[in-house]
Amino acid sequence: MSLEQKINQDIKAAMMAKDNAKLRGLRAIKAAILLAKTEKIQVDELHADTEIKVLQKLAKQRKESGDIYKNQNRDDLYQIEMEELQVIEEYLPKQLDRSAIEDVVKGIIAEVGATSIKDMGKVMGAANQKLAGSADGKTISEVLKSLLS
């Protein structure tokens, strides 16, 4: 079953349960998937990697918006963003913790032979490929900078 089909089923279930927070998050996912399908080339089904990228983008948007709302003391809007983020994260692969990311990045550094911060580009490209879907780029970058400096 594709992500889009699962989302459609979950939207129906959320409507019946009258779960507005979950419904908002699911509708946001559905809209993003439809947009991705029609963006460049019209396709019937998205590849699993593309679906994960769409979900990661939505999660990142919710986190950034939540941070802005929290800084502006808009707890009502912050709460809405966090509810939607929680729904989106249900469909993302399990995220690795910082120590697991460090282990993977150390292996990549040894593999590539990186010795200084100048080699960050090589390591970052390999790390993004290897950790796609299970870690965000910002965390990978922070770990990499701390290891190379």
Side-chain angles (χ1 to χ4, degrees), residues 19-26 62 66 75-90:
D19 187 351
N20 289 330
K22 188 166 188 164
L23 193 57
R24 273 194 318 271
L26 292 170
R62 297 306 181 280
D75 291 332
D76 55 334
L77 297 175
Y78 172 77
Q79 187 65 31
I80 290 171
E81 294 295 324
M82 292 302 106
E83 289 171 353
E84 290 181 16
L85 176 62
Q86 190 175 16
V87 171
I88 293 166
E89 286 178 341
E90 289 177 21

Side-chain angles (χ1 to χ4, degrees), residues 32-44 46 50 53 57:
I33 289 172
L34 289 173
L35 183 65
K37 283 171 64 173
T38 59
E39 211 165 49
K40 294 182 182 173
I41 305 169
Q42 288 197 340
V43 292
D44 292 331
L46 290 178
T50 309
K53 287 179 185 176
K57 182 178 176 183

Side-chain angles (χ1 to χ4, degrees), residues 55-149:
L55 290 174
Q56 285 178 323
K57 182 178 176 183
L58 288 174
K60 182 179 178 185
Q61 288 172 343
R62 297 306 181 280
K63 287 176 188 173
E64 289 173 353
S65 297
D67 290 343
I68 291 170
Y69 292 141
K70 188 145 185 101
N71 290 339
Q72 294 177 349
N73 294 323
R74 293 295 311 265
D75 291 332
D76 55 334
L77 297 175
Y78 172 77
Q79 187 65 31
I80 290 171
E81 294 295 324
M82 292 302 106
E83 289 171 353
E84 290 181 16
L85 176 62
Q86 190 175 16
V87 171
I88 293 166
E89 286 178 341
E90 289 177 21
Y91 298 93
L92 278 170
K94 177 119 174 74
Q95 299 292 299
L96 296 174
D97 63 344
R98 194 170 182 92
S99 63
I101 294 171
E102 276 185 35
D103 293 341
V104 172
V105 171
K106 284 178 185 175
I108 294 171
I109 289 173
E111 195 176 294
V112 173
T115 56
S116 70
I117 199 78
K118 292 178 183 177
D119 300 321
M120 186 169 170
K122 293 181 212 172
V123 179
M124 194 67 188
N128 280 333
Q129 284 183 337
K130 195 165 192 173
L131 296 170
S134 57
D136 67 329
K138 184 178 179 183
T139 307
I140 296 171
S141 176
E142 290 171 359
V143 168
L144 186 56
K145 283 179 186 174
S146 69
L147 292 174
L148 287 178
S149 49

